[in-house]
Amino acid sequence: MALIVQKYGGTSVGSIEKIQNVARKVIEEHKNGNRMVVVLSAMSGQTNKLIELAHQMTEDPDCRELDVLISTGEQVSIALFSMAVKSMGYEACSLLGFQVGIKTDQIYGKARIQEIETARIFQELEKNQIVSVAGFQGLDDDGNITTLGRGGSDTTAVALAAALNADVCEIYTDVDGVYTTDPNVCLKARKMESISYDEMLEMASLGAKVLEIRSVEFAKKFNVPVHVRSTFSNERGTMVVAEAKDMEKVTVSGIAFNKNEARITIAKVPDKPGIAGKIFDPLMKAGIVVDMIVQNTSEEGLTDLTFTVIKADYNNSMKVLKEVAKEIGAEKVLGDENISKVSIIGVGMRTHAGVAQKMFNTLARENINIMMISTSEIKISVVIEEKYTELAVRVLHEAFGLDKPTAE
Ligand code: ASP
Ligand code: MG
């Protein structure tokens, strides 16, 4: 008898029929003798609608009240789900975050889970109930409702699985697993059998939006096996798990891309101590996150500094940096919004030589110019012209043999 935590996303509970479908799936597992804890998202589109309502009321909604409002979507889902289960002849009990005892810090809209009490859930499971829990919400020390940030139900599910010491956390969604790259871009993209936490973290942060990134961090920290799979089929999906020895046999496991960044260069910056701080401090104060920083070797005491920011922060960054450039005596600030970042990811890179070279040669053969390069132990990212993104993804997918199942 296993203890299974399942999470169903918004599209899986988007209508009465879909909720009934979920109830049938959960009951199947319950009948197999498993103890079931089910985390639900709000019905698709609901959270957006609630946020819209708040903005119709006022331009700048109070963040405490906004959390009270947007946490209600999940309450609707678990209530309807429990009703469905009961109408099918099984026992069910829905619980909100505070009823479970999901304790968070006080950061409204982006709260972090600090502790989860398990007594109430175990009590209900003892009574042979199918327990459903509202995703995305918690309670701070002062008894205020908090939410975990968009997509936060994934984190609720993984955190619950960790706290309950569940055998597996199954994330049900509208895709059937994690793919080697976006199948919309590359027809030969293949569903992976398994992927390590670290690879998944790289894939998630680079734009493959299957799992919310914090949930993967949680899963890694507490070693929770996560199974990403489709609500609409019974096929196995992708296991997100701790790294196994044979994972290193493959050099590259996946390719991610991100068109959501822009590149900025500050040209002819005086090369002396303290300058980098002077450039990045004002950006940090403006809440701008900087990625992929490259500084050139200096010539006659002057150097160029290039980095990327997300496109939404581009205009603001340029404004801030033009001021900074004047202050520190840099020559000019150049910007380019038409770029994208393409990354190859794989734990096997640690033990295989020549991966970077193969990536660069593959891109060169297509005449794709590389503007920036950055690497980590298990990832190589390049910045290229945005219009070549799809081509780059496809040729790299082919070059690293990701279309072949034997590669696994
Ligand atoms: N309903 C929330 C959202 O739309 C949380 C979630 O679905 O994971 O972001
Ligand atoms: Mg989601």
Side-chain angles (χ1 to χ4, degrees), residues 146-394:
T146 54
T147 64
L148 310 181
R150 299 308 302 269
S153 296
D154 291 350
T155 301
T156 305
V158 175
L160 262 178
L164 298 167
N165 203 8
D167 294 280
V168 63
C169 179
E170 298 183 330
I171 305 281
Y172 282 90
T173 173
D174 51 3
V175 295
D176 54 5
V178 182
Y179 276 69
T180 48
T181 193
D182 183 346
N184 295 314
V185 165
C186 179
L187 282 176
K188 290 184 177 158
R190 211 171 33 79
K191 188 178 79 187
M192 292 183 231
E193 292 284 316
S194 61
I195 179 172
S196 72
Y197 296 127
D198 286 327
E199 288 171 329
M200 191 64 225
L201 282 171
E202 296 288 2
M203 294 287 276
S205 65
L206 292 167
K209 297 192 185 56
V210 218
L211 275 178
E212 192 223 8
I213 189 158
R214 271 161 68 180
S215 71
V216 186
E217 285 164 0
F218 232 102
K220 181 182 172 189
K221 191 162 165 201
F222 296 100
N223 211 356
V224 179
V226 177
H227 186 178
V228 180
R229 59 194 305 187
S230 166
T231 308
F232 309 105
S233 89
N234 286 324
E235 297 230 345
R236 266 180 70 89
T238 303
M239 289 301 300
V240 187
V241 288
E243 197 177 316
K245 197 77 216 110
D246 63 347
M247 283 181 174
E248 289 211 336
K249 280 193 207 137
V250 190
T251 33
V252 174
S253 325
I255 299 174
F257 59 92
N258 185 351
K259 295 184 176 183
N260 195 27
E261 289 188 19
R263 182 174 64 131
I264 298 176
T265 299
I266 313 187
K268 303 222 164 37
V269 179
D271 189 12
K272 54 183 189 215
I275 290 290
K278 282 211 173 99
I279 292 172
F280 293 114
D281 272 354
L283 288 175
M284 186 201 67
K285 287 195 181 112
I288 296 163
V289 178
V290 174
D291 188 29
M292 272 182 104
I293 306 169
V294 177
Q295 182 184 323
N296 278 339
T297 48
S298 62
E299 220 172 287
E300 288 161 18
L302 297 171
T303 181
D304 292 345
L305 203 81
T306 303
F307 51 88
T308 59
V309 295
I310 58 169
K311 275 192 179 134
D313 285 338
Y314 176 71
N315 287 333
N316 200 11
S317 304
M318 290 297 278
K319 215 169 76 197
V320 170
L321 288 167
K322 279 183 180 151
E323 285 301 308
V324 173
K326 260 189 252 156
E327 229 172 85
I328 60 174
E331 190 189 87
K332 59 185 167 196
V333 184
L334 303 161
D336 184 357
E337 282 188 276
N338 298 316
I339 59 145
S340 78
K341 183 164 77 178
V342 176
S343 309
I344 57 175
I345 294 147
V347 289
M349 269 178 216
R350 288 198 290 245
T351 45
H352 288 80
V355 182
Q357 196 184 344
K358 187 165 178 181
M359 180 185 201
F360 304 153
N361 286 341
T362 305
L363 296 174
R365 239 177 281 128
E366 302 296 328
N367 253 327
I368 299 173
N369 189 39
I370 299 171
M371 303 170 179
M372 290 171 86
I373 301 168
S374 84
T375 62
S376 79
E377 236 194 337
I378 64 162
K379 177 187 76 172
I380 304 170
S381 302
V382 295
V383 168
I384 59 171
E385 250 186 280
E386 183 173 350
K387 65 180 180 196
Y388 294 127
T389 312
E390 286 78 7
L391 174 64
V393 169
R394 280 196 286 267

Side-chain angles (χ1 to χ4, degrees), residues 73-85:
E74 276 69 15
Q75 181 165 354
V76 172
S77 300
I78 55 169
L80 290 172
F81 168 78
S82 275
M83 287 176 199
V85 171

Side-chain angles (χ1 to χ4, degrees), residues 7-11 39-48 50-51 70-71 73-74 135-137 147-156 212:
K7 179 256 169 179
Y8 292 88
T11 47
V39 175
L40 299 181
S41 286
M43 295 168 80
S44 51
Q46 279 309 310
T47 310
N48 287 343
L50 292 166
I51 292 172
I70 66 176
S71 60
E74 276 69 15
F136 175 59
Q137 57 176 259
T147 64
L148 310 181
R150 299 308 302 269
S153 296
D154 291 350
T155 301
T156 305
E212 192 223 8

Side-chain angles (χ1 to χ4, degrees), residues 23-184:
R24 276 189 289 272
K25 279 179 92 84
V26 175
I27 288 171
E28 244 354 271
E29 289 295 333
H30 176 80
K31 284 203 290 199
N32 289 337
N34 298 308
R35 290 181 294 168
M36 303 302 294
V37 177
V38 182
V39 175
L40 299 181
S41 286
M43 295 168 80
S44 51
Q46 279 309 310
T47 310
N48 287 343
K49 272 197 199 137
L50 292 166
I51 292 172
E52 233 176 80
L53 269 183
H55 286 279
Q56 279 173 30
M57 183 55 71
T58 160
E59 222 168 78
D60 188 18
D62 178 83
C63 37
R64 179 187 183 278
E65 303 312 326
L66 189 61
D67 274 7
V68 174
L69 180 70
I70 66 176
S71 60
T72 59
E74 276 69 15
Q75 181 165 354
V76 172
S77 300
I78 55 169
L80 290 172
F81 168 78
S82 275
M83 287 176 199
V85 171
K86 288 183 188 195
S87 73
M88 294 171 189
Y90 291 83
E91 295 298 321
C93 171
S94 65
L95 295 172
L96 292 169
F98 83 90
Q99 292 173 302
V100 171
I102 300 179
K103 307 252 176 73
T104 73
D105 61 18
Q106 266 186 334
I107 305 173
Y108 295 118
K110 225 173 176 34
R112 286 188 167 266
I113 295 178
Q114 288 175 329
E115 201 193 325
I116 296 186
E117 284 171 25
T118 55
R120 177 72 192 268
I121 291 183
F122 279 125
Q123 223 174 38
E124 301 302 337
L125 288 172
E126 279 304 302
K127 292 188 249 167
N128 209 23
Q129 309 255 24
I130 290 172
V131 179
S132 55
V133 177
F136 175 59
Q137 57 176 259
L139 199 72
D140 73 9
D141 279 345
D142 298 329
N144 300 301
I145 292 174
T146 54
T147 64
L148 310 181
R150 299 308 302 269
S153 296
D154 291 350
T155 301
T156 305
V158 175
L160 262 178
L164 298 167
N165 203 8
D167 294 280
V168 63
C169 179
E170 298 183 330
I171 305 281
Y172 282 90
T173 173
D174 51 3
V175 295
D176 54 5
V178 182
Y179 276 69
T180 48
T181 193
D182 183 346
N184 295 314

